[in-house]
mmCIF file of all heavy atoms in Angstrom:
data_model
loop_
_atom_site.group_PDB
_atom_site.id
_atom_site.type_symbol
_atom_site.label_atom_id
_atom_site.label_comp_id
_atom_site.label_asym_id
_atom_site.label_seq_id
_atom_site.Cartn_x
_atom_site.Cartn_y
_atom_site.Cartn_z
ATOM 1 N N SER A 231 -48.830 25.335 18.442
ATOM 2 C CA SER A 231 -48.294 24.750 19.671
ATOM 3 C C SER A 231 -47.215 25.608 20.326
ATOM 4 O O SER A 231 -46.889 25.395 21.495
ATOM 5 C CB SER A 231 -47.748 23.347 19.394
ATOM 6 O OG SER A 231 -46.714 23.390 18.425
ATOM 7 N N THR A 232 -46.633 26.562 19.588
ATOM 8 C CA THR A 232 -45.610 27.439 20.169
ATOM 9 C C THR A 232 -46.065 28.896 20.151
ATOM 10 O O THR A 232 -45.247 29.806 20.106
ATOM 11 C CB THR A 232 -44.284 27.305 19.397
ATOM 12 O OG1 THR A 232 -44.498 27.688 18.019
ATOM 13 C CG2 THR A 232 -43.759 25.883 19.449
ATOM 14 N N ALA A 233 -47.382 29.135 20.193
ATOM 15 C CA ALA A 233 -47.919 30.479 20.014
ATOM 16 C C ALA A 233 -47.326 31.487 20.986
ATOM 17 O O ALA A 233 -47.120 32.656 20.629
ATOM 18 C CB ALA A 233 -49.442 30.450 20.153
ATOM 19 N N ASP A 234 -47.065 31.078 22.213
ATOM 20 C CA ASP A 234 -46.492 31.994 23.194
ATOM 21 C C ASP A 234 -45.009 31.726 23.437
ATOM 22 O O ASP A 234 -44.424 32.264 24.363
ATOM 23 C CB ASP A 234 -47.259 31.912 24.515
ATOM 24 C CG ASP A 234 -47.330 30.492 25.070
ATOM 25 O OD1 ASP A 234 -46.822 29.563 24.408
ATOM 26 O OD2 ASP A 234 -47.907 30.321 26.160
ATOM 27 N N ARG A 235 -44.382 30.903 22.581
ATOM 28 C CA ARG A 235 -42.963 30.583 22.738
ATOM 29 C C ARG A 235 -42.258 30.643 21.382
ATOM 30 O O ARG A 235 -41.721 29.640 20.886
ATOM 31 C CB ARG A 235 -42.784 29.189 23.346
ATOM 32 C CG ARG A 235 -43.460 28.994 24.690
ATOM 33 C CD ARG A 235 -43.109 27.655 25.319
ATOM 34 N NE ARG A 235 -43.268 26.541 24.382
ATOM 35 C CZ ARG A 235 -44.424 25.964 24.101
ATOM 36 N NH1 ARG A 235 -45.543 26.403 24.662
ATOM 37 N NH2 ARG A 235 -44.493 24.945 23.253
ATOM 38 N N PRO A 236 -42.233 31.802 20.726
ATOM 39 C CA PRO A 236 -41.561 31.890 19.427
ATOM 40 C C PRO A 236 -40.067 31.639 19.571
ATOM 41 O O PRO A 236 -39.455 32.018 20.582
ATOM 42 C CB PRO A 236 -41.844 33.324 18.983
ATOM 43 C CG PRO A 236 -42.044 34.074 20.255
ATOM 44 C CD PRO A 236 -42.723 33.113 21.190
ATOM 45 N N GLN A 237 -39.486 30.998 18.576
ATOM 46 C CA GLN A 237 -38.046 30.730 18.588
ATOM 47 C C GLN A 237 -37.343 31.770 17.732
ATOM 48 O O GLN A 237 -37.594 31.875 16.537
ATOM 49 C CB GLN A 237 -37.749 29.340 18.035
ATOM 50 C CG GLN A 237 -36.257 29.030 17.963
ATOM 51 C CD GLN A 237 -35.966 27.722 17.244
ATOM 52 O OE1 GLN A 237 -36.883 27.031 16.823
ATOM 53 N NE2 GLN A 237 -34.692 27.399 17.098
ATOM 54 N N ARG A 238 -36.470 32.536 18.352
ATOM 55 C CA ARG A 238 -35.710 33.531 17.591
ATOM 56 C C ARG A 238 -34.654 32.817 16.751
ATOM 57 O O ARG A 238 -33.859 32.036 17.265
ATOM 58 C CB ARG A 238 -35.064 34.535 18.543
ATOM 59 C CG ARG A 238 -34.163 35.541 17.835
ATOM 60 C CD ARG A 238 -33.661 36.593 18.789
ATOM 61 N NE ARG A 238 -32.401 37.158 18.358
ATOM 62 C CZ ARG A 238 -31.717 38.090 19.013
ATOM 63 N NH1 ARG A 238 -32.207 38.573 20.155
ATOM 64 N NH2 ARG A 238 -30.567 38.540 18.567
ATOM 65 N N ILE A 239 -34.646 33.120 15.439
ATOM 66 C CA ILE A 239 -33.647 32.504 14.560
ATOM 67 C C ILE A 239 -32.576 33.499 14.120
ATOM 68 O O ILE A 239 -31.473 33.091 13.749
ATOM 69 C CB ILE A 239 -34.298 31.850 13.331
ATOM 70 C CG1 ILE A 239 -34.978 32.885 12.444
ATOM 71 C CG2 ILE A 239 -35.275 30.766 13.745
ATOM 72 C CD1 ILE A 239 -35.416 32.335 11.102
ATOM 73 N N SER A 240 -32.865 34.790 14.115
ATOM 74 C CA SER A 240 -31.837 35.774 13.780
ATOM 75 C C SER A 240 -30.831 35.833 14.919
ATOM 76 O O SER A 240 -31.192 35.729 16.086
ATOM 77 C CB SER A 240 -32.461 37.145 13.505
ATOM 78 O OG SER A 240 -33.390 37.490 14.504
ATOM 79 N N ARG A 241 -29.582 36.002 14.573
ATOM 80 C CA ARG A 241 -28.515 35.818 15.563
ATOM 81 C C ARG A 241 -28.094 37.125 16.254
ATOM 82 O O ARG A 241 -28.001 37.194 17.476
ATOM 83 C CB ARG A 241 -27.297 35.178 14.886
ATOM 84 C CG ARG A 241 -27.583 33.829 14.215
ATOM 85 C CD ARG A 241 -27.984 32.770 15.219
ATOM 86 N NE ARG A 241 -28.308 31.488 14.626
ATOM 87 C CZ ARG A 241 -27.446 30.490 14.423
ATOM 88 N NH1 ARG A 241 -26.170 30.647 14.733
ATOM 89 N NH2 ARG A 241 -27.844 29.348 13.901
ATOM 90 N N GLU A 242 -27.786 38.152 15.470
ATOM 91 C CA GLU A 242 -27.190 39.359 16.030
ATOM 92 C C GLU A 242 -28.252 40.299 16.580
ATOM 93 O O GLU A 242 -29.339 40.421 16.028
ATOM 94 C CB GLU A 242 -26.381 40.098 14.951
ATOM 95 C CG GLU A 242 -25.306 39.261 14.274
ATOM 96 C CD GLU A 242 -25.838 38.451 13.104
ATOM 97 O OE1 GLU A 242 -27.068 38.478 12.859
ATOM 98 O OE2 GLU A 242 -25.028 37.789 12.433
ATOM 99 N N ASP A 243 -27.938 40.991 17.684
ATOM 100 C CA ASP A 243 -28.801 42.053 18.181
ATOM 101 C C ASP A 243 -28.776 43.210 17.187
ATOM 102 O O ASP A 243 -27.717 43.556 16.655
ATOM 103 C CB ASP A 243 -28.330 42.543 19.547
ATOM 104 C CG ASP A 243 -28.540 41.511 20.642
ATOM 105 O OD1 ASP A 243 -29.358 40.596 20.444
ATOM 106 O OD2 ASP A 243 -27.881 41.630 21.692
ATOM 107 N N GLY A 244 -29.923 43.803 16.932
ATOM 108 C CA GLY A 244 -30.002 44.892 15.981
ATOM 109 C C GLY A 244 -31.257 44.776 15.145
ATOM 110 O O GLY A 244 -32.313 44.362 15.640
ATOM 111 N N THR A 245 -31.158 45.117 13.879
ATOM 112 C CA THR A 245 -32.315 45.175 12.989
ATOM 113 C C THR A 245 -32.138 44.208 11.827
ATOM 114 O O THR A 245 -31.177 44.310 11.064
ATOM 115 C CB THR A 245 -32.508 46.606 12.459
ATOM 116 O OG1 THR A 245 -32.760 47.479 13.567
ATOM 117 C CG2 THR A 245 -33.674 46.680 11.490
ATOM 118 N N HIS A 246 -33.079 43.277 11.697
ATOM 119 C CA HIS A 246 -33.068 42.276 10.636
ATOM 120 C C HIS A 246 -34.320 42.422 9.777
ATOM 121 O O HIS A 246 -35.402 42.738 10.281
ATOM 122 C CB HIS A 246 -33.053 40.860 11.216
ATOM 123 C CG HIS A 246 -31.833 40.515 11.991
ATOM 124 N ND1 HIS A 246 -30.786 39.789 11.470
ATOM 125 C CD2 HIS A 246 -31.484 40.794 13.280
ATOM 126 C CE1 HIS A 246 -29.852 39.628 12.396
ATOM 127 N NE2 HIS A 246 -30.252 40.236 13.498
ATOM 128 N N ALA A 247 -34.180 42.138 8.482
ATOM 129 C CA ALA A 247 -35.327 42.011 7.580
ATOM 130 C C ALA A 247 -35.107 40.748 6.764
ATOM 131 O O ALA A 247 -34.035 40.565 6.174
ATOM 132 C CB ALA A 247 -35.452 43.225 6.668
ATOM 133 N N ALA A 248 -36.098 39.858 6.744
ATOM 134 C CA ALA A 248 -35.943 38.552 6.119
ATOM 135 C C ALA A 248 -36.804 38.438 4.866
ATOM 136 O O ALA A 248 -37.951 38.885 4.842
ATOM 137 C CB ALA A 248 -36.328 37.448 7.105
ATOM 138 N N THR A 249 -36.230 37.818 3.830
ATOM 139 C CA THR A 249 -36.960 37.448 2.616
ATOM 140 C C THR A 249 -36.773 35.951 2.421
ATOM 141 O O THR A 249 -35.653 35.485 2.193
ATOM 142 C CB THR A 249 -36.420 38.199 1.389
ATOM 143 O OG1 THR A 249 -36.501 39.606 1.617
ATOM 144 C CG2 THR A 249 -37.215 37.840 0.136
ATOM 145 N N PHE A 250 -37.856 35.188 2.521
ATOM 146 C CA PHE A 250 -37.766 33.737 2.476
ATOM 147 C C PHE A 250 -37.987 33.210 1.062
ATOM 148 O O PHE A 250 -38.822 33.727 0.305
ATOM 149 C CB PHE A 250 -38.798 33.103 3.416
ATOM 150 C CG PHE A 250 -38.334 33.022 4.838
ATOM 151 C CD1 PHE A 250 -38.406 34.134 5.664
ATOM 152 C CD2 PHE A 250 -37.806 31.853 5.348
ATOM 153 C CE1 PHE A 250 -37.967 34.071 6.971
ATOM 154 C CE2 PHE A 250 -37.363 31.774 6.656
ATOM 155 C CZ PHE A 250 -37.442 32.890 7.476
ATOM 156 N N ALA A 251 -37.221 32.174 0.706
ATOM 157 C CA ALA A 251 -37.469 31.452 -0.535
ATOM 158 C C ALA A 251 -38.822 30.770 -0.452
ATOM 159 O O ALA A 251 -39.288 30.405 0.637
ATOM 160 C CB ALA A 251 -36.371 30.422 -0.783
ATOM 161 N N LYS A 252 -39.456 30.595 -1.615
ATOM 162 C CA LYS A 252 -40.776 29.982 -1.640
ATOM 163 C C LYS A 252 -40.762 28.594 -1.008
ATOM 164 O O LYS A 252 -41.709 28.188 -0.327
ATOM 165 C CB LYS A 252 -41.284 29.902 -3.079
ATOM 166 C CG LYS A 252 -42.713 29.420 -3.204
ATOM 167 C CD LYS A 252 -43.187 29.456 -4.644
ATOM 168 C CE LYS A 252 -44.636 28.996 -4.758
ATOM 169 N NZ LYS A 252 -45.114 29.008 -6.161
ATOM 170 N N SER A 253 -39.659 27.862 -1.187
ATOM 171 C CA SER A 253 -39.552 26.512 -0.634
ATOM 172 C C SER A 253 -39.322 26.504 0.865
ATOM 173 O O SER A 253 -39.502 25.477 1.527
ATOM 174 C CB SER A 253 -38.397 25.773 -1.309
ATOM 175 O OG SER A 253 -37.153 26.380 -0.970
ATOM 176 N N GLY A 254 -38.874 27.643 1.417
ATOM 177 C CA GLY A 254 -38.536 27.712 2.830
ATOM 178 C C GLY A 254 -37.160 27.159 3.147
ATOM 179 O O GLY A 254 -36.761 27.085 4.307
ATOM 180 N N ALA A 255 -36.387 26.799 2.111
ATOM 181 C CA ALA A 255 -35.082 26.170 2.329
ATOM 182 C C ALA A 255 -34.029 27.158 2.815
ATOM 183 O O ALA A 255 -33.044 26.763 3.440
ATOM 184 C CB ALA A 255 -34.610 25.498 1.045
ATOM 185 N N PHE A 256 -34.207 28.426 2.535
ATOM 186 C CA PHE A 256 -33.256 29.441 2.985
ATOM 187 C C PHE A 256 -33.960 30.793 2.968
ATOM 188 O O PHE A 256 -35.081 30.935 2.467
ATOM 189 C CB PHE A 256 -32.000 29.465 2.106
ATOM 190 C CG PHE A 256 -32.250 29.820 0.664
ATOM 191 C CD1 PHE A 256 -32.249 31.138 0.242
ATOM 192 C CD2 PHE A 256 -32.472 28.832 -0.289
ATOM 193 C CE1 PHE A 256 -32.482 31.481 -1.083
ATOM 194 C CE2 PHE A 256 -32.697 29.151 -1.617
ATOM 195 C CZ PHE A 256 -32.706 30.483 -2.016
ATOM 196 N N TYR A 257 -33.268 31.788 3.522
ATOM 197 C CA TYR A 257 -33.804 33.145 3.479
ATOM 198 C C TYR A 257 -32.666 34.143 3.383
ATOM 199 O O TYR A 257 -31.502 33.839 3.678
ATOM 200 C CB TYR A 257 -34.692 33.443 4.682
ATOM 201 C CG TYR A 257 -33.992 33.627 6.012
ATOM 202 C CD1 TYR A 257 -33.675 34.899 6.488
ATOM 203 C CD2 TYR A 257 -33.677 32.536 6.827
ATOM 204 C CE1 TYR A 257 -33.059 35.084 7.718
ATOM 205 C CE2 TYR A 257 -33.068 32.709 8.058
ATOM 206 C CZ TYR A 257 -32.757 33.979 8.504
ATOM 207 O OH TYR A 257 -32.141 34.155 9.723
ATOM 208 N N LEU A 258 -33.003 35.337 2.916
ATOM 209 C CA LEU A 258 -32.073 36.454 2.891
ATOM 210 C C LEU A 258 -32.236 37.248 4.173
ATOM 211 O O LEU A 258 -33.357 37.567 4.586
ATOM 212 C CB LEU A 258 -32.356 37.367 1.700
ATOM 213 C CG LEU A 258 -32.076 36.806 0.321
ATOM 214 C CD1 LEU A 258 -32.630 37.750 -0.740
ATOM 215 C CD2 LEU A 258 -30.595 36.590 0.117
ATOM 216 N N ASP A 259 -31.119 37.572 4.799
ATOM 217 C CA ASP A 259 -31.143 38.352 6.036
ATOM 218 C C ASP A 259 -30.436 39.673 5.780
ATOM 219 O O ASP A 259 -29.229 39.695 5.512
ATOM 220 C CB ASP A 259 -30.439 37.577 7.148
ATOM 221 C CG ASP A 259 -30.427 38.338 8.471
ATOM 222 O OD1 ASP A 259 -31.331 39.166 8.671
ATOM 223 O OD2 ASP A 259 -29.526 38.094 9.292
ATOM 224 N N ALA A 260 -31.178 40.769 5.802
ATOM 225 C CA ALA A 260 -30.600 42.104 5.712
ATOM 226 C C ALA A 260 -30.466 42.636 7.137
ATOM 227 O O ALA A 260 -31.466 42.799 7.839
ATOM 228 C CB ALA A 260 -31.480 43.021 4.876
ATOM 229 N N PHE A 261 -29.248 42.882 7.569
ATOM 230 C CA PHE A 261 -28.977 43.208 8.976
ATOM 231 C C PHE A 261 -28.133 44.458 9.096
ATOM 232 O O PHE A 261 -27.260 44.737 8.272
ATOM 233 C CB PHE A 261 -28.235 42.050 9.655
ATOM 234 C CG PHE A 261 -27.603 42.432 10.970
ATOM 235 C CD1 PHE A 261 -28.389 42.599 12.103
ATOM 236 C CD2 PHE A 261 -26.239 42.655 11.066
ATOM 237 C CE1 PHE A 261 -27.817 42.975 13.310
ATOM 238 C CE2 PHE A 261 -25.659 43.032 12.271
ATOM 239 C CZ PHE A 261 -26.450 43.182 13.401
ATOM 240 N N SER A 262 -28.399 45.228 10.155
ATOM 241 C CA SER A 262 -27.488 46.302 10.552
ATOM 242 C C SER A 262 -27.664 46.570 12.035
ATOM 243 O O SER A 262 -28.672 46.187 12.644
ATOM 244 C CB SER A 262 -27.753 47.581 9.752
ATOM 245 O OG SER A 262 -28.906 48.253 10.227
ATOM 246 N N ASP A 263 -26.677 47.224 12.606
ATOM 247 C CA ASP A 263 -26.796 47.789 13.950
ATOM 248 C C ASP A 263 -26.065 49.129 13.924
ATOM 249 O O ASP A 263 -25.546 49.520 12.870
ATOM 250 C CB ASP A 263 -26.284 46.821 15.025
ATOM 251 C CG ASP A 263 -24.795 46.541 14.947
ATOM 252 O OD1 ASP A 263 -24.051 47.361 14.361
ATOM 253 O OD2 ASP A 263 -24.356 45.492 15.457
ATOM 254 N N PRO A 264 -26.012 49.872 15.015
ATOM 255 C CA PRO A 264 -25.449 51.228 14.925
ATOM 256 C C PRO A 264 -24.020 51.298 14.417
ATOM 257 O O PRO A 264 -23.617 52.323 13.860
ATOM 258 C CB PRO A 264 -25.555 51.732 16.371
ATOM 259 C CG PRO A 264 -26.749 51.030 16.917
ATOM 260 C CD PRO A 264 -26.684 49.651 16.317
ATOM 261 N N HIS A 265 -23.223 50.245 14.597
ATOM 262 C CA HIS A 265 -21.848 50.292 14.106
ATOM 263 C C HIS A 265 -21.562 49.256 13.025
ATOM 264 O O HIS A 265 -20.406 48.999 12.694
ATOM 265 C CB HIS A 265 -20.859 50.124 15.267
ATOM 266 C CG HIS A 265 -21.219 49.033 16.224
ATOM 267 N ND1 HIS A 265 -21.056 47.707 15.946
ATOM 268 C CD2 HIS A 265 -21.764 49.093 17.466
ATOM 269 C CE1 HIS A 265 -21.467 46.988 16.963
ATOM 270 N NE2 HIS A 265 -21.913 47.796 17.900
ATOM 271 N N THR A 266 -22.604 48.662 12.443
ATOM 272 C CA THR A 266 -22.455 47.706 11.348
ATOM 273 C C THR A 266 -23.283 48.176 10.166
ATOM 274 O O THR A 266 -24.511 48.207 10.248
ATOM 275 C CB THR A 266 -22.921 46.296 11.758
ATOM 276 O OG1 THR A 266 -22.243 45.892 12.939
ATOM 277 C CG2 THR A 266 -22.652 45.299 10.639
ATOM 278 N N PRO A 267 -22.641 48.560 9.048
ATOM 279 C CA PRO A 267 -23.408 48.960 7.870
ATOM 280 C C PRO A 267 -24.270 47.805 7.379
ATOM 281 O O PRO A 267 -24.004 46.631 7.699
ATOM 282 C CB PRO A 267 -22.326 49.314 6.845
ATOM 283 C CG PRO A 267 -21.086 49.520 7.630
ATOM 284 C CD PRO A 267 -21.187 48.639 8.824
ATOM 285 N N PRO A 268 -25.305 48.097 6.618
ATOM 286 C CA PRO A 268 -26.218 47.044 6.168
ATOM 287 C C PRO A 268 -25.498 45.903 5.461
ATOM 288 O O PRO A 268 -24.734 46.120 4.519
ATOM 289 C CB PRO A 268 -27.159 47.782 5.210
ATOM 290 C CG PRO A 268 -27.156 49.193 5.696
ATOM 291 C CD PRO A 268 -25.756 49.437 6.175
ATOM 292 N N GLN A 269 -25.748 44.685 5.936
ATOM 293 C CA GLN A 269 -25.170 43.470 5.376
ATOM 294 C C GLN A 269 -26.301 42.555 4.910
ATOM 295 O O GLN A 269 -27.372 42.539 5.507
ATOM 296 C CB GLN A 269 -24.339 42.726 6.420
ATOM 297 C CG GLN A 269 -23.194 43.514 7.009
ATOM 298 C CD GLN A 269 -22.462 42.731 8.090
ATOM 299 O OE1 GLN A 269 -23.076 41.985 8.858
ATOM 300 N NE2 GLN A 269 -21.157 42.893 8.151
ATOM 301 N N VAL A 270 -26.038 41.783 3.865
ATOM 302 C CA VAL A 270 -27.025 40.832 3.371
ATOM 303 C C VAL A 270 -26.367 39.461 3.272
ATOM 304 O O VAL A 270 -25.310 39.318 2.659
ATOM 305 C CB VAL A 270 -27.586 41.236 1.999
ATOM 306 C CG1 VAL A 270 -28.615 40.210 1.527
ATOM 307 C CG2 VAL A 270 -28.215 42.615 2.067
ATOM 308 N N SER A 271 -26.993 38.474 3.895
ATOM 309 C CA SER A 271 -26.451 37.121 3.879
ATOM 310 C C SER A 271 -27.545 36.121 3.552
ATOM 311 O O SER A 271 -28.734 36.392 3.711
ATOM 312 C CB SER A 271 -25.815 36.773 5.230
ATOM 313 O OG SER A 271 -26.758 36.917 6.280
ATOM 314 N N LEU A 272 -27.107 34.967 3.086
ATOM 315 C CA LEU A 272 -27.996 33.842 2.826
ATOM 316 C C LEU A 272 -27.974 32.959 4.066
ATOM 317 O O LEU A 272 -26.894 32.580 4.545
ATOM 318 C CB LEU A 272 -27.494 33.073 1.602
ATOM 319 C CG LEU A 272 -28.503 32.270 0.791
ATOM 320 C CD1 LEU A 272 -29.548 33.181 0.200
ATOM 321 C CD2 LEU A 272 -27.780 31.507 -0.316
ATOM 322 N N ARG A 273 -29.140 32.610 4.584
ATOM 323 C CA ARG A 273 -29.215 31.903 5.859
ATOM 324 C C ARG A 273 -30.076 30.652 5.745
ATOM 325 O O ARG A 273 -31.065 30.620 5.004
ATOM 326 C CB ARG A 273 -29.829 32.816 6.923
ATOM 327 C CG ARG A 273 -29.075 34.122 7.139
ATOM 328 C CD ARG A 273 -28.072 34.015 8.227
ATOM 329 N NE ARG A 273 -27.251 35.202 8.359
ATOM 330 C CZ ARG A 273 -26.517 35.494 9.433
ATOM 331 N NH1 ARG A 273 -26.539 34.674 10.481
ATOM 332 N NH2 ARG A 273 -25.772 36.572 9.465
ATOM 333 N N LYS A 274 -29.721 29.649 6.539
ATOM 334 C CA LYS A 274 -30.586 28.486 6.725
ATOM 335 C C LYS A 274 -31.781 28.890 7.588
ATOM 336 O O LYS A 274 -31.731 29.912 8.278
ATOM 337 C CB LYS A 274 -29.820 27.354 7.412
ATOM 338 C CG LYS A 274 -28.712 26.732 6.583
ATOM 339 C CD LYS A 274 -28.039 25.610 7.376
ATOM 340 C CE LYS A 274 -26.896 24.988 6.591
ATOM 341 N NZ LYS A 274 -26.223 23.921 7.371
ATOM 342 N N PRO A 275 -32.837 28.089 7.605
ATOM 343 C CA PRO A 275 -33.999 28.436 8.433
ATOM 344 C C PRO A 275 -33.699 28.534 9.927
ATOM 345 O O PRO A 275 -34.476 29.134 10.659
ATOM 346 C CB PRO A 275 -34.989 27.306 8.139
ATOM 347 C CG PRO A 275 -34.617 26.814 6.789
ATOM 348 C CD PRO A 275 -33.130 26.933 6.722
ATOM 349 N N ASP A 276 -32.585 27.962 10.373
ATOM 350 C CA ASP A 276 -32.235 28.091 11.787
ATOM 351 C C ASP A 276 -31.410 29.344 12.058
ATOM 352 O O ASP A 276 -30.993 29.593 13.196
ATOM 353 C CB ASP A 276 -31.482 26.845 12.271
ATOM 354 C CG ASP A 276 -30.131 26.653 11.576
ATOM 355 O OD1 ASP A 276 -29.743 27.485 10.722
ATOM 356 O OD2 ASP A 276 -29.456 25.645 11.886
ATOM 357 N N GLY A 277 -31.142 30.143 11.015
ATOM 358 C CA GLY A 277 -30.414 31.389 11.179
ATOM 359 C C GLY A 277 -28.928 31.296 10.930
ATOM 360 O O GLY A 277 -28.243 32.322 10.909
ATOM 361 N N SER A 278 -28.394 30.091 10.737
ATOM 362 C CA SER A 278 -26.962 29.964 10.464
ATOM 363 C C SER A 278 -26.651 30.441 9.047
ATOM 364 O O SER A 278 -27.442 30.249 8.129
ATOM 365 C CB SER A 278 -26.501 28.522 10.644
ATOM 366 O OG SER A 278 -27.215 27.653 9.796
#
């Protein structure tokens, strides 16, 4: 139903790589941009 309307959940502009828990309850977000060294955070499915 949202095939042409994807909802972006990652927050910061730049490069993200996500690893989701099997349950879908959370995911790992590996993020960087040109002036931010690679960071890894635990995120809710809405990106918070």
Side-chain angles (χ1 to χ4, degrees):
S231 60
T232 60
D234 55 358
R235 303 187 311 279
Q237 177 188 358
R238 175 174 154 181
I239 64 170
S240 47
R241 302 296 178 91
E242 304 86 356
D243 291 340
T245 298
H246 296 261
T249 303
F250 276 80
K252 186 176 181 181
S253 66
F256 62 88
Y257 73 96
L258 292 171
D259 180 26
F261 165 75
S262 77
D263 66 22
H265 45 75
T266 306
Q269 301 177 324
V270 180
S271 57
L272 206 62
R273 302 267 174 163
K274 292 181 182 179
D276 64 1
S278 58

